[in-house]
Amino acid sequence: MLTLGIETSCDETSVAVVRDRNEILSNVILSQLIHKKFGGVVPELASREHLKAIIAVYREALQIAAVEPEQIELVAATYGPGLVGALLVGLNFGKGLAFGWNKPFVAVNHLEGHVAANFLSHKDLPEKHLTLIISGGHTSLVLVDGFGKYRVLGQTKDDAVGEAYDKIAKILGLGYPGGAEIDRLSQSGDRRYFRFPRGVMKEESFDFSYSGLKTAVALHIKALPESELDEHRADIAASFQEAAVEVLVNKTVRAVTELGIKSVTLSGGVASNSRLKELMQEKLGALGAKFYFPPPSLCTDNAAMIAAAGFMRFSIDGASPMNINAVPYAKLYNSIC
Ligand code: KG4
Ligand code: ZN
């Protein structure tokens, strides 16, 4: 089945054509640069930029896939979570295409899209696995028993890990979004330069907290004379990263051990992080668990993952009602215990 996927939940305008759940014919991603000068996403500007770009991005996706509109069999678009104005652009564009073409439409949860990025990337991925969804808006540890069946083991109680990366990058003068920059700068820094607090929460909990770490790093930087900040920028980045990543790895490893998990995946923008992948590989390898992650282009927001998730959702539930609305705080619901 050929699915046209549309993603506009935040600051990427993306349209893709995907066959079934793992053959990408095109995946056009336009990242909005306008937000850089504000140091974060400005919701109203995001909606306007999506409106300006969506038709050109859609045309390019069809052209690269070498597919005519009549060949598309299903239209999938993100309905939430995300910025409401941004979501509405892609959702309504998708509904309009499906209505005009008389093809089924399916609304996709963005988090299910991130989960689907691993099914899309790995044909051999076992249905049952543990996934860590880590992005600018989310930090969740989720048990997956096949697409659509989830148990959320834990999530952040305050900031998302990507949000902490972006905030610290901004304070360090590294621009927005800064996760990848911190990752790069950390490679020349000393991760033992300073031990920042690990937001472990209660020992038995799989929940996360990143606001304490964010504040501790911000206060550390504030107390440093300008010259020392210049000298230790890479060390601070590396020490922050070590604290941020260690908590993710430790909670994942504990879940693997306690629940007898055999396979683990990462998804979301922070899944591109090199130190995280290195530590996960080391610790999960020692436990004999298999470790999967998508290529960087499928970690950050993209429409190919939405098309793949749309195809799988359609196979389970059929088409969505055409009056479905954007849901800014949509969640992944527990459907297994
Ligand atoms: O999944 P995504 O594109 O958007 C959301 O759904 O939020 O994730 C974006 C987040 C940003 O916070 C960005 O700084 C972070 O992913 N990110 C990284 C890296 N690449 C992107 N964080 C750490 N290391 C990276 N290499
Ligand atoms: Zn995302």
Side-chain angles (χ1 to χ4, degrees), residues 110 114 135 301 305:
H110 181 82
H114 279 303
S135 70
D301 292 347
M305 70 183 196

Side-chain angles (χ1 to χ4, degrees), residues 12-272:
E12 263 88 28
T13 313
S14 182
V15 180
V17 180
V18 174
R19 193 187 309 279
D20 301 337
R21 77 177 200 187
N22 45 25
E23 191 189 339
I24 301 176
L25 304 188
S26 65
N27 187 22
V28 179
I29 306 167
L30 184 79
S31 294
Q32 302 176 351
L33 301 178
I34 195 165
H35 307 290
K36 282 192 187 292
K37 60 176 178 257
F38 300 99
V41 178
V42 182
E44 180 57 28
L45 292 180
S47 324
R48 287 169 195 235
E49 293 296 300
H50 285 310
L51 260 183
K52 280 195 244 164
I54 189 96
I55 292 178
V57 171
Y58 151 75
R59 288 198 175 129
E60 197 181 337
L62 284 190
Q63 196 183 16
I64 293 172
V67 156
E68 295 300 325
E70 311 75 81
Q71 293 172 265
I72 300 290
E73 297 164 278
L74 174 68
V75 180
T78 308
Y79 73 91
L83 303 169
V84 68
L87 287 165
L88 282 170
V89 175
L91 186 64
N92 286 323
F93 186 68
K95 284 187 197 176
L97 288 179
F99 187 74
W101 293 340
N102 201 17
K103 294 286 161 65
F105 173 77
V106 67
V108 174
N109 181 309
H110 181 82
L111 298 171
E112 273 206 321
H114 279 303
V115 171
N118 278 291
F119 285 111
L120 179 60
S121 312
H122 309 288
K123 286 203 168 83
D124 64 332
L125 179 69
E127 293 292 312
K128 185 164 184 171
H129 62 269
L130 184 71
T131 191
L132 187 60
I133 306 174
I134 36 178
S135 70
H138 301 275
T139 311
S140 305
L141 191 58
V142 182
L143 186 64
V144 182
D145 192 5
F147 181 84
K149 292 191 199 149
Y150 311 113
R151 174 148 67 100
V152 180
L153 302 177
Q155 52 202 327
T156 185
K157 291 291 178 195
D158 39 58
D159 299 335
V161 58
E163 201 178 336
Y165 263 93
D166 292 338
K167 176 77 182 186
I168 298 307
K170 193 174 173 183
I171 301 175
L172 287 173
L174 300 176
Y176 175 86
E181 271 301 293
I182 291 198
D183 190 1
R184 191 191 53 76
L185 185 64
S186 296
Q187 289 171 15
S188 57
D190 175 5
R191 50 181 181 257
R192 281 174 294 271
Y193 158 75
F194 194 87
R195 190 177 163 82
F196 290 115
R198 275 65 173 152
V200 286
M201 312 287 289
K202 285 190 186 134
E203 270 308 306
E204 71 279 11
S205 162
F206 288 118
D207 286 333
F208 302 89
S209 166
Y210 278 98
S211 67
L213 171 62
K214 195 178 79 178
T215 307
V217 181
L219 290 176
H220 182 92
I221 295 171
K222 208 172 161 197
L224 280 184
E226 191 79 19
S227 60
E228 267 200 57
L229 175 58
D230 280 343
E231 194 187 329
H232 290 296
R233 193 171 263 108
D235 300 332
I236 295 170
S239 300
F240 156 73
Q241 173 157 283
E242 202 60 10
V245 160
E246 199 181 284
V247 179
L248 296 174
V249 174
N250 287 350
K251 299 229 173 199
T252 305
V253 162
R254 191 159 60 77
V256 165
T257 317
E258 284 179 16
L259 303 174
I261 306 284
K262 304 269 184 292
S263 307
V264 175
T265 70
L266 300 181
S267 49
V270 185
S272 303

Side-chain angles (χ1 to χ4, degrees), residues 3-9 74-82 87 90-91 94-95 104-117 147 150 302-315 317-321 324-328 330-332:
T3 305
L4 184 88
I6 302 165
E7 158 62 35
T8 63
S9 68
L74 174 68
V75 180
T78 308
Y79 73 91
L87 287 165
L91 186 64
K95 284 187 197 176
F105 173 77
V106 67
V108 174
N109 181 309
H110 181 82
L111 298 171
E112 273 206 321
H114 279 303
V115 171
F147 181 84
Y150 311 113
N302 68 89
M305 70 183 196
I306 301 302
F311 167 75
M312 290 187 270
R313 202 19 81 204
F314 181 71
S315 313
D317 288 337
S320 303
I324 190 160
N325 208 346
V327 183
K331 291 184 170 39
L332 271 191

